[in-house]
Amino acid sequence: MKSSSMPMRASAMNFFRDHITYVIFLAITLYFVLFAPHFASVSTASAVLRITAIVSVMAIGMTFVIICGEIDLSVGSVASFSGMIGALLLDQSVPAYVAALLVLGAGASIGAVSGVLVTKLRIPSFLVTLGMLSIFSGLALTITGTRPVSIVDDDFSNLFWNGSFLGMQAPIWWTIVLTAVGYYLLHQMPYGRRVYATGGNAVAARFSGVRTDGVKIFAFAISGMTASLAGLMLAARSTAGNPSLGAGLELDVIAAVIIGGTSLFGGYGSIVGSVVGAIFIGILGFGLLVLGLSTSIQEVIKGAIIIIAVSLNRR
Amino acid sequence: MTEAHPPGATVAPAPRAQRQTERVADNRRTARLRPETITAVCVFGISILLVLGSRFVSPALGSWDHVNTIILLASFLIVVAFGQGIVIMIGGLDLSVPALITLGGVLTTSWIDASSGMSLPLIPAILLICACIGGISGLGVTLLRIPPFIMTMATGIITASAALGLTSGTPRGAAPPILTALMKASWIGIPVILLFILAFAILGSVLQGRTSYGRRLTAIGANPVAAHVAGIAVRSSVLIAYMLSAAASGFAGMMLAGYANGATLRMGDDYLLPSIAAVVIGGSSILGGSGSFVATIGGAILLTALSTVISALGIPQGWRTVIEGSIILIALLLLRENTFAFLRRRLAR
């Protein structure tokens, strides 16, 4: 009897350890549902999903980069920059769809440049993207001399934030669509396997014929593209391109990915986990707000959660 | 691994005679130039050229006053870059610098009243608090093995929001006279801050280059496993490095508070990238294990000189951020090993 129960117990323990962040997530959500007034309602749920859409979208792109064993600190400033560029293009009466595609292309190219610097010139990714962070937050400020650019295009606002389809708002649709695409790309396509191989053991991957540099550059391009999509959504939300829209978002994004169980050392992780992580951060922020805690305490808790999540998700 | 290298054999220094012969055998002119020396000379040279060249930008620049201003403005960066340099030396990175500068400044102005005489014992107390926060980062890096930039980013958020909570949004108070004197007074015609920075430079480079702790840091940065095998207490050395960096940032916050005679919650924001840039321009390897504080000071002075010229040209603030980011990337590209090999070949010709 002992011999049969031990593996059961061990596997239960393993399951518990692998999904510890989900357990904490459920416990905290339950706490808010029980103790925060009017927390458990459809309107709260949809508000939280709308608020977290931006972090979710960016976290999906970031997941690829982190599974490759790299990091992208520039996503926040790329989002600000993209919002500005999008607003300026619309200001020049470029059609909304064309402007959006151009901005997404620009975001992907920015990511690809980071990727090339990281892989071909072998500079650590946190430094390359820290440099990129400062370059693009500076550019977002100087492009109009720190003035925000208002957006009057209804197509654009409907497409990225205000519209709704089948009873669900645009940001929730974007989260769902990107989660599906990201899931397919990472878990179903050969590219996804190469991402895992590159992050798990780059040397072994290279000897097995994976072009790890190309895989990483593409991952950075995906991250840049999702960051610029988030920038467009932010711009549509505030109906203006504002140079400081995305400032500091990289923290929430990295926290979301790590809470979602992706290893910061590469080789492990999942898209759905990152989205759950992003929603968790949203629920936490919303719940603490409902409970009447100040933003400074929220930030302290966020910082503590990053530390706890990274030290628990050790493989 | 330990069987192959019995303890003692790896750590024992080569006999003096043998080192002497090596030195005699390799007496090419350039072999004696360490990369650190080359970078230090280059960086200081470029700074001097920049200051002299800035006369063409505006007649007010390039004067002795301009040099004094540069040193005064660079002093904050030099102090911050000392700590950042130590952490980079061991292969880490300290992203909590802005938060700790703010905390140092805010605590100074809110705890030490300008009129009371309590400033002397309170200054070390505030530095100790900052060092403890650095110690938390160090514990996360060493015990929990969290990557340094994530750990320091997290402690940075926590510290910044603690500073926000402590002051409830509006820092009050003024700097104690001793700090305003440090930043603004002069002694027999020489600004006190110039003397202070000279002393700090000497102390800092002695700590990094001439003490056993400094050498331990170099060893850990070059190869942590080898350092551990050689009997170095890696964890405590790393812990102390993060504590030193946090205390340095806190002190820079005090200096800023003394300079501006007050503190703000965003006073540290402009120092993160320059602190890394100064270390990288100073030729330290960003992966750890090499670097010199003197060259880092050169990097800090070069960056500050550049930013005074930029503001004299009337270029908007946003471009400064762009330029700083580009400088980091360009410096990282240029200051790799093969560039030094190239420079040495050139100098040998």
Side-chain angles (χ1 to χ4, degrees), chain A residues 71 73 117 120-124 126-139 141-142 250-251 254 258 264-265 295-297 299-300 302-304 306-308 310-311 314, chain B residues 92-93 95 136 140 144-147 149-151 153-155 157-159 161-162 164-165 272-273 276 280 286-287 316-326 328-329 332-333 336:
Chain A
I71 192 93
L73 298 177
L117 288 174
K120 302 295 180 198
L121 301 172
R122 304 219 192 97
I123 310 176
F126 60 88
L127 275 168
V128 169
T129 51
L130 198 64
M132 286 296 200
L133 186 160
S134 107
I135 291 176
F136 284 98
S137 65
L139 280 180
L141 278 172
T142 43
E250 59 274 359
L251 265 172
I254 294 169
I258 295 167
L264 205 52
F265 305 92
T295 42
S296 69
I297 293 177
E299 291 289 310
V300 170
K302 204 188 286 169
I306 295 179
I307 296 174
I308 294 169
V310 180
S311 41
R314 180 155 309 287
Chain B
L93 190 70
L95 298 185
I136 296 173
L144 302 175
R145 283 179 296 145
I146 298 174
F149 66 96
I150 292 284
M151 188 63 208
M153 196 159 77
T155 45
I157 313 170
I158 296 175
T159 313
S161 24
L164 175 69
L272 174 61
L273 278 165
I276 301 170
V280 170
I286 196 66
L287 301 173
Q317 189 68 20
W319 282 112
R320 226 183 86 186
T321 331
V322 177
I323 290 168
E324 274 165 11
S326 318
I328 291 192
L329 291 182
L332 284 170
L333 283 183
R336 289 179 307 164

Side-chain angles (χ1 to χ4, degrees), chain B residues 31-50:
Chain B
R32 278 168 293 170
L33 281 176
R34 300 199 346 249
E36 286 91 353
T37 326
I38 301 179
T39 349
V41 171
C42 286
V43 168
F44 276 108
I46 296 171
S47 312
I48 291 166
L49 282 180
L50 186 69

Side-chain angles (χ1 to χ4, degrees), chain B residues 150-319:
Chain B
I150 292 284
M151 188 63 208
T152 51
M153 196 159 77
T155 45
I157 313 170
I158 296 175
T159 313
S161 24
L164 175 69
L166 274 176
T167 57
S168 45
T170 44
R172 281 167 215 288
I178 185 165
L179 287 174
T180 23
L182 170 68
M183 300 312 298
K184 287 176 182 163
S186 58
W187 182 68
I188 52 167
I190 310 166
V192 173
I193 188 65
L194 185 65
L195 299 172
F196 174 78
I197 284 301
L198 269 179
F200 191 83
I202 292 168
L203 278 178
S205 38
V206 165
L207 177 75
Q208 273 201 16
R210 298 265 175 258
T211 62
S212 69
Y213 179 67
R215 289 179 190 219
R216 264 183 272 159
L217 293 180
T218 317
I220 293 168
N223 189 337
V225 178
H228 178 72
V229 170
I232 293 174
V234 175
R235 280 184 176 171
S236 60
S237 305
V238 169
L239 190 67
I240 292 170
Y242 281 95
M243 292 174 80
L244 278 176
S245 172
S249 296
F251 190 71
M254 290 181 173
M255 288 165 64
L256 271 170
Y259 177 65
N261 202 16
T264 64
L265 285 171
R266 305 193 67 88
M267 62 197 280
D269 288 8
D270 292 337
Y271 286 90
L272 174 61
L273 278 165
S275 75
I276 301 170
V279 174
V280 170
I281 292 172
S284 302
S285 162
I286 196 66
L287 301 173
S290 81
S292 83
F293 183 47
V294 176
T296 301
I297 294 176
I301 289 176
L302 177 58
L303 278 176
T304 314
L306 196 64
S307 83
T308 55
V309 173
I310 288 172
S311 48
L313 283 171
I315 296 172
Q317 189 68 20
W319 282 112

Side-chain angles (χ1 to χ4, degrees), chain B residues 324-345:
Chain B
E324 274 165 11
S326 318
I327 284 177
I328 291 192
L329 291 182
I330 292 167
L332 284 170
L333 283 183
L334 293 180
L335 293 173
R336 289 179 307 164
E337 279 303 310
N338 46 7
T339 320
F340 283 115
F342 175 76
L343 257 180
R344 281 193 174 191
R345 277 202 304 279

Side-chain angles (χ1 to χ4, degrees), chain A residues 225-239:
Chain A
M225 200 174 198
T226 53
S228 57
L229 174 61
L232 293 175
M233 289 163 72
L234 279 167
R237 182 172 79 176
S238 53
T239 62

Side-chain angles (χ1 to χ4, degrees), chain A residues 78-95:
Chain A
V78 170
S80 312
F81 180 71
S82 307
M84 288 303 283
I85 295 284
L88 282 174
L89 283 174
L90 291 172
D91 205 40
Q92 304 292 317
S93 57
V94 176

